[in-house]
Every structure is written in structure tokens, then in C-alpha cells.
Amino acid sequence: MLKEPPKAYVQILKNEQDELVLAYMPALRKMAFRLKERLPSNIDVNDLISIGVEEMIKLSRRYDREQNDSFWGFARKRVNGAMLDYLRSLDVMSRNNRKILKDIDALLDEYYQKYECEPDEQYIADKLGLDKEKLREVRTAYAISYTLPLDEQIELYNEDDTLEKLEHQQLVEKINEVLDDLKEREQLIIQLYYYEELNLKEISEILNISESRISQIHKKLLKKLRERLV
């Protein structure tokens, strides 16, 4: 029969695990603030940090120094995944919101073609017969969805079950094939946003085009990807 380890040893082990979490709090905070840069203002960075701390505590109990040289190397993807799970739990895109978003996108495209900038909230609300609160809800949901992996975004906006029939890996492979056929600048936007995790402001500075224009290009890229995959 196995004996329980001495209480003193258990306490020492717990202290070491807690110290691991504390040691990597700066890295966790940096990750949370980096993600927050890509999210609307009403998402509280402290919620992201709290989710990350909970995940790090759980991971510290499972961490084996002999198998992983670095705790952060072991925990980083899992902590980021926990934050994304939290954002998914906010139910970012109902069917009704997706329809409204399509109407907004069509209006923005038309407006941008004329004036090369985006209209203000009041203009959009008046044109679509929406109150500002509902408009902000839809645009917030869309901004949150931006932070999800590219394959999830494409599935999120798909109206039938064509993509659901594909295995995850197949979908990723097909997306990569489509990306290879995009123009160089389009590929660069995808690369900078999803792989380098830059925000729109940073991409704007690199490419020397406005944030609103990058947002428009991004929406068109997603639409193009969805059309090519069905």
C-alpha cells in the first residue's frame, strides 16, 4: 500500500509550484495586455489575467522539470488557449448578429468606396435602423472574433455545414493552400495579424495604410477564403 508523502514535503512542493507562477507573472501579464490590444475596450484585461493565473496554477501542479526545461515554454500555449476559451465563452456571434454584421460590412464597403474612410456610429445606426447599443454589441462581438484562430473565424461565419464536415487538419491545410494563392500584401496582412500577432495599428505603421483600410482588406480576405473553401 502506498503511503502519503510527508506533509512537510507536500508543503515544500506547493511552495515551489506557487513560486513558479509568481516568477512568470510578468510574462502572463505581457500576454494578457498583448491580447487586450486586439480586443474592444469593454473587455477587461484583469479578466484575462485572472483566467491566465488559474490556468498557470493548474499547470504548475503538472509541471515536470525533467521533461520540460522551461515552465513558461510548457505553459505558454495552454495559458493563451485558456484566454481564448474565455473569449469563446462570451458567445461572440449569434446568427442574428452575423446577419447584422453582413449588412454593416456591405454599408462600410459602399461608404469606403466613396470616401476612403469609415462612417461614424450614428450614420451606420441610422442607415440600418439600429440603436447604438445594438450596433456596439455586434461590432464588439466581431472584434472579439478577430482574436480567434483563422480556421475558427471562417467556420464562425459559414452559413451551412460544408466546413463542419471537414476535419480540423484538413481545413487548416485547405486554408494554407488558399493563402498561397493570395497577393503578397494580402499574405503579409494575414501573417502579421495571425502569426506575428500584431494589432491593426502596428500593421498600419508597417504597411503605411490606415487601420480602417486594413480592417476592410481583412474582411474581404475572410470572405474570399470562405468562398474558396466551399
Side-chain angles (χ1 to χ4, degrees), residues 110-119 123:
E110 180 183 338
Y111 192 94
Y112 200 96
Q113 291 300 320
K114 289 182 180 179
Y115 306 107
E116 295 191 358
C117 64
E118 289 195 1
Y123 178 89

Side-chain angles (χ1 to χ4, degrees), residues 33-39 192-193 196-206 211 214:
F33 276 96
R34 189 66 176 163
L35 182 57
K36 176 67 178 81
E37 290 175 353
R38 294 149 59 92
L39 292 167
L192 293 175
Y193 194 85
E196 301 300 329
E197 298 183 352
L198 301 187
N199 59 37
L200 294 182
K201 182 179 180 181
E202 291 166 327
I203 298 173
S204 172
E205 291 172 354
I206 291 171
E211 291 179 49
I214 292 172

Side-chain angles (χ1 to χ4, degrees), residues 67-83:
Q67 293 186 18
N68 299 275
D69 294 336
S70 163
F71 174 67
W72 189 238
F74 165 72
R76 185 180 182 279
K77 285 187 177 180
R78 295 171 175 86
V79 171
N80 185 65
M83 292 181 185

Side-chain angles (χ1 to χ4, degrees), residues 73-221:
F74 165 72
R76 185 180 182 279
K77 285 187 177 180
R78 295 171 175 86
V79 171
N80 185 65
M83 292 181 185
L84 292 181
D85 283 342
Y86 164 70
L87 294 175
R88 292 184 189 99
S89 75
L90 300 178
D91 191 20
V92 292
M93 269 300 169
S94 67
R95 186 174 293 276
N96 182 52
N97 282 354
R98 276 182 276 177
K99 182 184 182 306
I100 294 173
L101 183 63
K102 283 186 176 182
D103 293 338
I104 293 173
D105 281 347
L107 180 62
L108 292 180
D109 282 342
E110 180 183 338
Y111 192 94
Y112 200 96
Q113 291 300 320
K114 289 182 180 179
Y115 306 107
E116 295 191 358
C117 64
E118 289 195 1
D120 59 24
E121 281 189 343
Q122 190 62 58
Y123 178 89
I124 299 172
D126 290 345
K127 282 289 187 179
L128 298 181
L130 301 171
D131 59 59
K132 283 190 176 182
E133 185 176 342
K134 182 60 178 178
L135 178 60
R136 286 171 187 154
E137 174 194 318
V138 175
R139 301 191 85 178
T140 294
Y142 183 67
I144 292 173
S145 76
Y146 253 39
T147 64
L148 300 179
L150 188 55
D151 57 306
E152 289 188 35
Q153 283 197 59
I154 292 172
E155 289 186 273
L156 185 64
Y157 294 104
N158 195 51
E159 293 186 341
D160 57 37
D161 62 354
T162 305
L163 298 182
E164 292 178 8
K165 293 175 182 176
L166 292 173
E167 293 292 333
H168 176 79
Q169 187 57 41
Q170 287 180 300
L171 180 57
V172 172
E173 289 173 359
K174 284 184 174 291
I175 290 172
N176 287 334
E177 289 174 6
V178 174
L179 290 177
D180 286 340
D181 293 335
L182 296 179
K183 296 177 181 177
E184 186 175 342
R185 173 160 287 202
E186 294 173 338
Q187 289 185 19
L188 184 56
I189 289 173
I190 294 293
Q191 175 72 27
L192 293 175
Y193 194 85
Y194 291 100
Y195 298 100
E196 301 300 329
E197 298 183 352
L198 301 187
N199 59 37
L200 294 182
K201 182 179 180 181
E202 291 166 327
I203 298 173
S204 172
E205 291 172 354
I206 291 171
L207 299 182
N208 196 30
I209 55 178
S210 70
E211 291 179 49
S212 62
R213 182 55 181 154
I214 292 172
S215 179
Q216 290 295 105
I217 293 172
H218 179 240
K219 290 172 187 175
K220 288 183 177 180
L221 287 178

